[in-house]
Amino acid sequence: MPFNPDFTFPATEPARSLWFVFHEGRLLIKAGDEGQLIPRTRDLAKFDVSLIHKQYLGTLDGLPCFAAELAHHRIDCDGFELEGLRRLFGRLQEELIWVAGRANQLVDWNQSHQFCGRCGHATADKHNERAKICPQCNLINYPRVSPAIIVAVIKDNQILLGSNRRFKGGFYSVLAGFAEPGESLEECVAREVNEEVGIVVKNIRYFGSQPWPFPNSLMVGFIADYAGGRINVDKSEIIEAAWYSARNLPPIPPKISIARQLIDWFADKYSMPHSEKMAPKAYRPKPCL
Ligand SMILES: [Zn+2]
């Protein structure tokens, strides 16, 4: 079910078109017999729903997809309600989750770029690309994407996992952090690991990437080998970290995340005997984007 991105509104809008409608970061959705439902044009036409900041996203399996915000919190839509995107992971079809994530990022960007950051004038949509332009000073703003690394550090058949202060549910995961201006992703990997747990790494290699719409990260996954140092957690972000074998993993993140895919790669490789020479399993890209 391929997704084809676009920004120019189509000439026609089939009644089956999908609408990813947000209010304060929560998505308009309805529980159906076969899972959660995204409202379609025909659903919204039945109710008094006032939408603002409409954007065209592209097509999912040929169906037009739109993003918008609810003009006000009150909704009266026959079972539709607002739900946080994170809570929909595992409940909404995976291909819809990724389009919803894309919509969430664009709604957030659109909302926070109504005025020029340089001169304060109201911005306008650019007609030939997804961007906003200031008619006063010509400043152009594109949807923001914030690159972040996420890394599986390996030492003697063990993986380094930490518990972050922000994690809900007490699980352990691979380390992650945002890239700084002027820094390569490999430099970011080395810095983040050293800052967060005091470990030095080597042999940093690419694993795969995944957009993470909370609110606009692009997670770039790496594998790295231990090169030196003892675990010394920073206590500001990471509150606990340790080396774990594939047969003795603590609670880990849900399947959909690249963090989990890194840990699953490790578990596959290091739970099997004689697997030292096994190449990293191909990264499984998300299905539709
Ligand atoms: Zn301006």
Side-chain angles (χ1 to χ4, degrees):
M1 195 185 276
F3 182 80
N4 293 310
D6 198 355
F7 61 91
T8 306
F9 277 80
T12 58
E13 184 190 326
R16 294 171 58 236
S17 301
L18 294 162
W19 280 85
F20 296 83
V21 178
F22 288 85
H23 182 76
E24 295 180 349
R26 293 191 299 157
L27 181 66
L28 189 65
I29 203 148
K30 180 181 183 179
D33 293 338
E34 296 176 2
Q36 304 292 315
L37 301 175
I38 299 291
R40 297 173 183 266
T41 297
R42 63 180 176 232
D43 296 317
L44 298 178
K46 292 181 196 166
F47 307 104
D48 180 23
V49 180
S50 179
L51 301 180
I52 56 174
H53 298 161
K54 296 177 184 176
Q55 296 181 78
Y56 182 55
L57 300 173
T59 57
L60 178 63
D61 200 21
L63 265 187
C65 299
F66 300 86
E69 289 176 67
L70 275 178
H72 46 74
H73 177 72
R74 197 185 66 78
I75 50 172
D76 179 16
C77 317
D78 186 30
F80 281 100
E81 54 190 22
L82 293 165
E83 181 74 275
L85 205 52
R86 283 179 194 269
R87 291 172 57 91
L88 292 169
F89 276 58
R91 292 164 56 203
L92 187 63
Q93 277 182 307
E94 194 172 336
E95 62 267 29
L96 293 174
I97 273 286
W98 294 117
V99 182
R102 180 186 288 255
N104 185 42
Q105 294 185 61
L106 292 173
V107 164
D108 183 74
W109 164 73
N110 188 59
Q111 191 180 55
S112 55
H113 289 79
Q114 292 292 306
F115 296 92
C116 177
R118 185 157 63 192
C119 76
H121 197 280
T123 58
D125 289 334
K126 262 187 117 229
H127 70 277
N128 60 346
E129 58 185 341
R130 193 182 305 276
K132 291 193 173 292
I133 186 165
C134 172
Q136 189 72 25
C137 74
N138 291 323
L139 180 69
I140 296 174
N141 274 294
Y142 294 94
R144 180 186 298 176
V145 176
S146 302
I149 63 88
I150 183 159
V151 57
V153 181
I154 309 296
K155 175 193 177 193
D156 298 334
N157 297 346
Q158 293 184 307
I159 187 170
L160 178 62
L161 299 178
S163 185
N164 193 300
R165 193 173 292 281
R166 293 176 291 107
F167 291 168
K168 293 181 178 133
F171 64 86
Y172 287 72
S173 188
V174 288
L175 302 182
F178 286 103
E180 293 186 349
E183 179 175 65
S184 73
L185 292 171
E186 289 79 3
E187 288 169 335
C188 180
V189 168
R191 177 184 54 76
E192 283 287 344
V193 174
N194 194 247
E195 281 179 4
E196 293 188 351
V197 296
I199 295 292
V200 178
V201 294
K202 63 182 180 182
N203 300 334
I204 298 165
R205 61 264 193 205
Y206 180 69
F207 177 78
S209 67
Q210 181 182 65
W212 195 244
F214 305 106
N216 51 38
S217 301
L218 174 63
M219 305 302 295
V220 187
F222 291 90
I223 299 163
D225 295 329
Y226 169 84
R230 292 170 62 105
I231 292 177
N232 180 20
V233 297
D234 65 2
K235 297 286 185 188
S236 62
E237 285 191 60
I238 302 298
I239 51 178
E240 194 180 344
W243 300 101
Y244 292 91
S245 71
R247 296 177 190 277
N248 188 32
L249 290 173
I252 52 178
K255 283 275 184 193
I256 199 168
S257 64
I258 191 171
R260 176 59 177 270
Q261 291 181 35
L262 277 160
I263 298 169
D264 284 350
W265 165 82
F266 162 78
D268 280 351
K269 179 173 165 65
Y270 290 97
S271 61
M272 285 185 266
H274 312 300
S275 60
E276 294 82 0
K277 301 294 182 188
M278 197 171 102
K281 197 164 69 176
Y283 171 65
R284 182 175 67 86
K286 57 196 180 53
C288 65
L289 304 184

